[in-house]
Amino acid sequence: MSETAVEEHIEEIDGGAETDGEAGTDGGFIEPVPMEEDPEGLFAGDSGTLDAAVRRVLVRLLRGRFLVADRNRAQWKVLLENQQLIESRLHDLFIHLVVDHDRGIAYKRQVRPAELDVPILLKDDPYTRAETLVLVHLRTVFQREQGAGESSARVDVEEVEQTVLTFFDPDDKNLAARQTEIRTAVRRLEKEGLIEEESEGRFRVTPLVEIVLSNERLGELREWLRTQNEQNQQSQQENQENQR
C-alpha cells in the first residue's frame, strides 16, 4: 500500500469515529468537558455536592448533641430548607435525624435495627451517678414549673447541691469531695445545654432536659432512687443495732 493510500485509510477511520460519536451514543464516546466548566469546589480536590452552609449544619449535627433554633437561627433555617438532603447524608452513616419543630430542637440518634448488623458510630457516654442525680432534680423542677403554668424553670446551684447530697451515704465524711463532684456534674450539663447560667450560681433549665430524660425514664429513675434510699436506711439501722 502506498503512502497516499495509507493516509486515506487513516482519514476514513478517523472520519468514521467522529461520525459515530455525533450520530448517537452507541459508539460509547463521551464528549470531553472543558476544565472551565467543572463545578467549583470548596477546596482543592473537593468532590462534595453540598453547599458550604449545608455542610456546616451537617458537621454541627455530627459534632454536637443538639442544634437549637433559638441559639442558631441561621443554621436552623438552613436545616429546615435542606432537611431531606441532610437526613439522607446521615442515613448513609446509619444515623437518624430528629427535628422537634415545637421545641425548636434537632438532634441525632444511632440507628440500631434488629434485622441488620450496622457499625455503631455514636457511642453512648453514660452519666455518672452525680450527673444522673442532678439531671433527675433538674427534670423534676422543670416538670413542676410546667405543671404550675410557668414558662421556664430556674435553680440555684446550692439548691441542687443540697438535694443531691441527700442521695449520698450520710456516713461519708468526705463532704468536700461530694460537693466538687456535684458541681462538676452541673458544669457538664451546662456544657451540653441542659441549663444556662443567668447569673453566678443561678441557672435556667432548658427544654433539652425533656429530650434527654423522658417522663417514663424519669419515673424509672425516681423508683430506683427510692429503692436505693430504703436500702441505705435499712443498712444504717442494722449498723446501729449491731453497735449496741
Side-chain angles (χ1 to χ4, degrees), residues 80-99:
L80 296 186
E81 293 174 347
N82 300 272
Q83 182 174 337
Q84 186 174 1
L85 186 58
I86 293 173
E87 283 179 340
S88 176
R89 292 296 189 274
L90 291 174
H91 288 169
D92 286 338
L93 302 175
F94 299 107
I95 296 175
H96 180 60
L97 175 66
V98 180
V99 180

Side-chain angles (χ1 to χ4, degrees), residues 16 34 58 88 103 109 118 131 133 139 143 145 155 161 165 168 172 193 218-219 223 225 238 244:
L58 183 59
S88 176
R103 294 187 179 95
R109 284 179 177 168
V118 303
E131 290 165 351
L133 292 171
R139 183 68 174 86
Q143 186 182 58
E145 295 302 305
V155 295
E161 186 178 288
L165 280 173
F168 284 90
D172 187 352
L218 177 62
E223 180 61 24
L225 291 173
E238 292 175 353
R244 291 175 183 175

Side-chain angles (χ1 to χ4, degrees), residues 96-192:
H96 180 60
L97 175 66
V98 180
V99 180
D100 189 327
H101 294 274
D102 293 334
R103 294 187 179 95
I105 300 170
Y107 56 97
K108 59 189 181 298
R109 284 179 177 168
Q110 179 69 55
V111 175
R112 301 174 185 267
E115 68 281 1
L116 183 64
D117 181 22
V118 303
I120 303 301
L121 181 62
L122 304 181
K123 301 294 181 65
D124 292 331
D125 189 9
Y127 290 118
T128 65
R129 185 170 187 267
E131 290 165 351
T132 301
L133 292 171
V134 172
L135 182 58
V136 169
H137 178 64
L138 296 177
R139 183 68 174 86
T140 301
V141 172
F142 187 86
Q143 186 182 58
R144 183 187 67 210
E145 295 302 305
Q146 272 198 325
E150 298 293 333
S151 59
S152 59
R154 289 171 174 79
V155 295
D156 294 315
V157 68
E158 291 82 5
E159 168 201 343
V160 174
E161 186 178 288
Q162 291 173 5
T163 302
V164 174
L165 280 173
T166 62
F167 294 100
F168 284 90
D169 185 354
D171 294 330
D172 187 352
K173 305 302 181 182
N174 198 348
L175 178 61
R178 301 289 78 78
Q179 290 174 322
T180 299
E181 191 177 351
I182 293 170
R183 296 201 177 216
T184 300
V186 169
R187 290 305 174 188
R188 176 186 172 180
L189 299 180
E190 180 190 13
K191 185 177 180 181
E192 291 188 351

